[in-house]
Amino acid sequence: MMGGHHAASGAAAWVAIATTGPYALGWYPLDATGVLIGAMTTAGTALVCDWDHRSSTIAHALPPLSNAIAVGIEKVSGGHRQGTHSLLGASVFVVLAAFCSQFQVDSPWGRLSVGAGLLCMFMINIAAKALKLFPNSGWIANWVFALLMAGLVTWFAPHQWSWLPLSMLAGVMVHIVGDLVTTGGVPLLWPVVIKPPKLLRKVPVLNDVWKANGALSIPLLGKAGSRREWLVLIPVSGYAMVGMCTAAWSAAQTHAPEAALLVQSLIPALR
Ligand SMILES: [Zn+2]
């Protein structure tokens, strides 16, 4: 699946998980800020599996560090669409996100969730890039947008960071499923990779599902980037957009008085 499509399905998954109402699953209900920022973050976490690839969006997000990490992950995980696209890889990403969320610093403004804030900022930055939110501006627009979003949570809902590991879980699972339904498939049980015996490799249908390299595929969407993939992603992206716009509207209404007070308190300081 293409990067932008992974990101859009990540956002849609978060809207389904975190909002309540007849059109959502509501497994982990959050307020509007959590839905909005979480959806943007999950659009980013839905891209981390492709950090095993030097030319992926995430590999170019923060050079030279992100490029070096991509090379490292590629080596450890056995190459593109290997370890990071397995249940083990997914668990590692979730544990890392949970670990980052623990990193807090006491400051004059109270306890700051520095680890969660930075991780969220990085995820939103790559999501903005993959979704081409600011196609005509350079990398600065993506980072400013990410900083603003992470800042919003830190300011208005500092207690909310507990959802970050869940966002990572949702993102990586959506990514793995997204690649599973294309012809390339994924090695779900990596590092255990069982290749089919030679005889079975010639059996039609079965050889599409159990690939010669041991990967598993349910090729409903055909090749990555196919017309079918685009068609499916139209309603998925629409669902994510509706959920996020509704959340943005409701967050703006809830936090408007607080924001006004904040601006008022800043004006004398600026004079
Ligand atoms: Zn992938």
Side-chain angles (χ1 to χ4, degrees):
M1 197 173 258
M2 293 164 69
H5 291 167
H6 280 305
S9 37
W14 192 257
V15 167
I17 292 170
T19 45
T20 47
Y23 59 90
L25 300 167
W27 289 337
Y28 192 83
L30 287 174
D31 71 5
T33 321
V35 172
L36 180 66
I37 316 282
M40 280 306 301
T41 308
T42 313
T45 56
L47 293 164
V48 295
C49 295
D50 283 345
W51 212 344
D52 60 359
H53 188 336
R54 286 161 217 233
S55 50
S56 58
T57 310
I58 186 163
H60 293 297
L62 190 65
L65 185 66
S66 54
N67 307 75
I69 293 176
V71 174
I73 295 180
E74 194 179 350
K75 279 207 180 106
V76 174
S77 69
H80 182 46
R81 272 205 186 195
Q82 293 295 316
T84 58
H85 291 63
S86 68
L87 296 176
L88 176 68
S91 324
V92 171
F93 282 126
V94 174
V95 169
L96 285 177
F99 180 75
C100 276
S101 309
Q102 300 297 315
F103 186 62
Q104 295 177 321
V105 171
D106 284 315
S107 78
W109 309 278
R111 184 162 288 181
L112 296 179
S113 300
V114 178
L118 287 176
L119 181 62
C120 174
M121 204 170 104
F122 187 53
M123 291 305 140
I124 293 182
N125 168 63
I126 55 168
K129 233 171 138 179
L131 292 169
K132 299 191 174 70
L133 289 190
F134 311 102
N136 299 321
S137 17
W139 56 274
I140 295 179
N142 293 325
W143 277 109
V144 169
F145 176 70
L147 180 68
L148 265 176
M149 287 288 161
L152 275 178
V153 180
T154 314
W155 194 267
F156 290 116
H159 53 280
Q160 277 209 353
W161 287 119
S162 50
W163 50 253
L164 203 51
L166 182 66
S167 158
M168 185 60 86
L169 177 67
V172 292
M173 290 320 286
V174 160
H175 184 109
I176 292 174
V177 170
D179 281 346
L180 177 74
V181 292
T182 61
T183 49
V186 287
L188 263 192
L189 300 177
W190 188 94
V192 180
V193 179
I194 306 163
K195 293 181 182 174
K198 269 202 177 118
L199 206 68
L200 292 183
R201 287 184 206 177
K202 294 202 175 72
V203 180
V205 183
L206 183 69
N207 60 8
D208 288 331
V209 175
W210 190 7
K211 316 288 287 185
N213 64 0
L216 190 72
S217 164
I218 306 167
L220 299 170
L221 298 185
K223 272 192 178 164
S226 68
R227 191 177 294 186
R228 243 179 293 166
E229 184 179 312
W230 279 91
L231 279 176
V232 169
L233 259 295
I234 293 171
V236 170
S237 310
Y239 178 79
M241 284 299 292
V242 169
M244 288 170 74
C245 291
T246 312
W249 175 243
S250 149
Q253 283 178 317
T254 314
H255 295 297
E258 280 173 74
L261 277 177
L262 176 66
V263 172
Q264 267 173 12
S265 66
L266 283 176
I267 289 171
L270 291 173
R271 269 187 194 148

